[in-house]
Amino acid sequence: MGRFDGKVALVTGGNRNTGLCIVEKFVREGAKVFMCGSSAESTDKGAAALKERGVDGVTSIPCDISDAAQVAAMFDRIEREAGRLDILVNNAANQGIGHGGPLEMVPERFWDVLKTNVVGGFRVTQAACNRFFMQQESRGVVVFLSSNTAQRAIRKRTAYCASKGAINSMVRALALDLAPLGIRVNACAPGYINTERWDVLDPKIAARRRLNCPLRKEAKGSDIANVVAFLASDDSANMTGEIVTCDAGCSCQHMPEDVDM
Ligand SMILES: NC(=O)c1ccc[n+]([C@@H]2O[C@H](COP(=O)([O-])OP(=O)(O)OC[C@H]3O[C@@H](n4cnc5c(N)ncnc54)[C@H](OP(=O)(O)O)[C@@H]3O)[C@@H](O)[C@H]2O)c1
């Protein structure tokens, strides 16, 4: 018996990397899962990747979450095909990579990041919570993917760091307003996660990053999926408004070991 037997989950950005691991985790624990990516091309690739992992029964929906009409269409489809929703994982993110530093960054790129990570995340959450509200017997749960960069900035990612800080504040505010309705809202804040971007990383940089982690390793997607599943399950039934960090101890460290003497 799985923790999510009979539950319906939506994972945004579930078509690759961490999102794909979250989708796999929910399916393996019994949920009926819908996942979206920003385009049909990316969701098709995601569906193929899930098949390769032996994960069946996932419905993939192309949906740019920064677009109100596409979000509405996605929820119409979930309504038609499942008639309920129990779990929302707001995983999709515009990483804001390559935007440059604060002096040269084009302000419109800043907005692109907020439009997906903050406004898009809110839009999907609002639609999900309106669905949850119709389910008297079992109200739903929302999990956001934040980042430890909300607290400890990384270089040339101003918009991304700002968006994750906004997500942390939004999680607390949503949790407060939605608690009387029985809806819980929490976040997992990862540090380094081994995604496809690590495949092209200079091995020396990868090794130095690991040295930066007190546990000497970056997270696997499955490590993050485990935390997300905990926050989505009744195992965290008395938690709301929490930001749970999963970063190999990076946030508790002032300096990495090789310069801390
Ligand atoms: N990787 C890390 O080291 C790390 C660290 C801390 C926190 N996080 C957070 O953890 C989560 C997963 O990270 P990740 O590195 O696995 O992400 P990722 O590889 O960058 O993938 C991002 C996902 O979001 C989707 N997405 C982006 N914009 C979208 C939009 N407008 N509408 C719908 N989907 C959209 C992408 O879909 P397409 O494929 O269609 O583009 C993709 O599935 C993110 O929230 C990230 O900020 C990651």
Side-chain angles (χ1 to χ4, degrees):
M1 209 173 116
R3 275 185 295 184
F4 304 118
D5 284 348
K7 303 276 186 195
V8 178
L10 168 63
V11 181
T12 66
N15 56 298
R16 58 187 167 101
N17 292 329
T18 315
L20 198 74
C21 296
I22 295 169
V23 169
E24 179 174 1
K25 176 78 179 164
F26 279 104
V27 172
R28 296 212 186 281
E29 293 216 27
K32 155 90 188 131
V33 181
F34 291 84
M35 60 99 156
C36 81
S38 66
S39 67
E41 192 191 348
S42 62
T43 48
D44 285 352
K45 272 193 199 158
L50 286 167
K51 214 171 196 179
E52 248 174 55
R53 292 179 184 209
V55 179
D56 294 319
V58 176
T59 304
S60 33
I61 307 177
C63 173
D64 177 345
I65 62 161
S66 67
D67 182 299
Q70 291 187 42
V71 171
M74 173 167 70
F75 276 85
D76 284 348
R77 181 153 172 205
I78 294 171
E79 191 60 35
R80 276 197 314 278
E81 294 188 15
R84 65 178 296 113
L85 186 67
D86 302 283
I87 297 161
L88 167 65
V89 181
N90 281 308
N91 168 77
N94 178 331
Q95 299 284 345
I97 294 172
H99 290 179
L103 299 189
E104 67 268 18
M105 180 188 195
V106 178
E108 284 69 25
R109 298 287 80 75
F110 198 110
W111 174 236
D112 288 343
V113 174
L114 295 193
K115 204 167 64 171
T116 295
N117 300 5
V118 183
V119 185
F122 174 75
R123 197 190 302 286
V124 177
T125 301
Q126 186 179 51
C129 290
N130 276 304
R131 187 65 193 82
F132 296 162
F133 186 63
M134 291 159 66
Q135 297 162 194
Q136 295 298 333
E137 79 298 349
S138 148
R139 292 280 164 80
V141 57
V142 180
V143 183
F144 276 83
L145 271 291
S146 178
S147 167
N148 66 354
T149 61
Q151 303 293 338
R152 296 171 156 249
I154 46 176
R155 289 171 179 78
K156 297 191 176 172
R157 302 279 291 280
T158 306
Y160 177 78
C161 295
S163 77
K164 294 299 183 178
I167 283 173
N168 287 0
S169 298
M170 180 161 67
V171 162
R172 289 186 279 264
L174 288 169
L176 209 57
D177 282 336
L178 294 168
L181 305 180
I183 299 170
R184 298 189 298 113
V185 186
N186 291 291
C188 169
Y192 299 124
I193 310 172
N194 193 315
T195 65
E196 64 205 9
R197 290 187 290 281
W198 281 63
D199 299 343
V200 291
L201 208 56
D202 179 336
K204 281 191 195 141
I205 304 278
R208 182 63 189 81
R209 282 189 181 183
R210 290 184 180 116
L211 191 63
N212 199 35
C213 302
L215 287 179
R216 296 283 180 268
K217 57 186 177 186
E218 73 280 19
K220 300 191 287 288
S222 57
D223 294 322
I224 303 305
N226 287 339
V227 177
V228 170
F230 165 71
L231 292 173
S233 75
D234 287 345
D235 291 343
S236 60
N238 199 35
M239 290 172 67
T240 197
E242 289 298 326
I243 317 296
V244 179
T245 302
C246 178
D247 71 352
C250 286
S251 294
C252 69
Q253 167 181 267
H254 183 51
M255 281 186 275
E257 194 176 356
D258 59 335
V259 291
D260 189 6
M261 55 197 79

